[in-house]
Amino acid sequence: MPAPAPVRLSKSKFVAGVQCLKRLYYQTYQPELAGQPDESQQARLQQGNEVGLLAQSRFPGGVFVGFEHGSDGALTQTASLLDDSSVPAIFEATFQHQGVLVRVDILQRRPANRWRLIEVKSSVDVKDYHVYDLAIQAHVLRGCGLDLSSCCLMHLNRDYVYDGRQYDPTELFAIRNLTGQIRKLDSEVPKLLKAERKALALEHPPDVTPGRQCSEPVPCEFYDCCNPPVPEHHISFLPRLSDKKQAELLDR
């Protein structure tokens, strides 16, 4: 029998794999095991969608790439928009390179046929894990031949004061240039991709010991699969217990 085709990764799956290879495996093959999002998680998702639309309004004339015709249609539309110099920005521009598909929140046209990559987040500052989100996008776009002038993260401005009438997108958001941090990950991204593909080629989920990655940098939707209920007075309830010490006590 021919070998199965490799799984196509997305930027969200890549970032999930950076957090935990087991989380990536479950997302890919057993998504039905995920816990249902609570009200706060649903609210954050809705907020993220609203923030994304507000961010687009900061780039008038930008064109949205739809996904109603699947990835092939989005890739074709993106290629057409890249060639149209009258388009100042592309929203959800879609690219694929070596089995990784990414949709870019905002791709802004810059002089000399260069492009500014912008990832939008609803946070009020830059989180450490955000750089991996940008890094995989930069990896794919450069692989597709794009010349990136910068890689930026666009987040809410904590000092912005809403007047109660209408949001001002020019003041609502702050844009941070993370190009230097992304460049430092250039050699790490291929290694991470290799590890993720190796995990996805397994017949069973990879053996990953539960730990801090179950809740950081974001709560894993498969937490209950790896963390069954523990008895009363379990050592995990001890205060200020390091992961290393907890592992030692569990072994005993």
Side-chain angles (χ1 to χ4, degrees):
M1 293 180 60
V7 174
R8 186 170 68 183
L9 291 169
S10 63
K11 66 178 181 180
S12 61
K13 279 190 168 64
F14 171 79
V15 174
V18 172
Q19 177 172 344
C20 176
L21 292 174
K22 200 170 188 178
R23 182 186 181 207
L24 168 65
Y25 193 95
Y26 280 142
Q27 278 192 3
T28 304
Y29 298 122
Q30 296 174 283
E32 70 278 3
L33 296 178
Q36 294 299 313
D38 57 27
E39 291 185 2
S40 63
Q41 290 172 324
Q42 292 177 336
R44 285 195 295 271
L45 180 61
Q46 178 62 30
Q47 181 189 45
N49 293 335
E50 294 173 357
V51 166
L53 292 175
L54 284 169
Q56 292 176 8
S57 68
R58 185 166 173 172
F59 301 87
V63 178
F64 177 81
V65 174
F67 214 72
E68 58 272 12
H69 299 296
S71 58
D72 289 342
L75 290 166
T76 299
Q77 184 184 2
T78 297
S80 176
L81 293 172
L82 290 174
D83 292 336
D84 186 349
S85 59
S86 68
V87 176
I90 307 173
F91 309 136
E92 301 297 333
T94 307
F95 299 88
Q96 182 172 258
H97 176 65
Q98 295 182 342
V100 183
L101 182 83
V102 299
R103 303 193 75 199
V104 179
D105 288 341
I106 299 171
L107 190 63
Q108 184 184 22
R109 191 182 299 272
R110 307 302 288 166
N113 200 31
R114 306 189 79 196
W115 297 90
R116 185 191 196 192
L117 168 62
I118 304 175
E119 171 71 11
V120 180
K121 296 295 184 185
S122 58
S123 61
V124 294
D125 52 20
V126 178
K127 308 292 186 182
D128 290 341
Y129 64 93
H130 289 162
V131 297
Y132 287 99
D133 202 325
L134 270 168
I136 188 60
Q137 294 178 69
H139 173 81
V140 170
L141 268 60
R142 292 190 180 111
C144 291
L146 268 70
D147 184 3
L148 298 179
S149 62
S150 59
C151 300
C152 303
L153 190 129
M154 186 174 181
H155 61 83
L156 296 173
N157 176 10
R158 66 168 66 249
D159 297 323
Y160 176 73
V161 179
Y162 178 47
D163 63 7
R165 295 190 298 273
Q166 185 175 358
Y167 289 111
D168 179 358
T170 62
E171 298 294 334
L172 176 62
F173 294 97
I175 299 180
R176 296 276 297 276
N177 189 336
L178 302 181
T179 306
Q181 295 183 49
I182 303 307
R183 277 296 188 185
K184 291 179 180 178
L185 295 177
D186 282 352
S187 61
E188 184 180 352
V189 169
K191 297 176 183 176
L192 291 169
L193 286 170
K194 183 178 180 180
E196 292 185 2
R197 295 200 182 284
K198 183 178 179 180
L200 290 174
L202 298 174
E203 293 185 4
H204 304 285
D207 185 14
V208 180
T209 302
R212 193 160 299 180
Q213 77 279 359
C214 294
S215 55
E216 297 177 8
V218 297
C220 177
E221 63 273 39
F222 304 100
Y223 183 93
D224 291 342
C225 296
C226 304
N227 297 271
V230 296
E232 189 178 6
H233 306 307
H234 189 262
I235 61 170
S236 61
F237 295 118
L238 290 173
R240 297 184 295 279
L241 186 66
S242 68
D243 289 346
K244 180 180 179 181
K245 190 61 178 179
Q246 179 171 316
E248 292 175 354
L249 292 174
L250 285 172
D251 288 340
R252 290 164 57 184

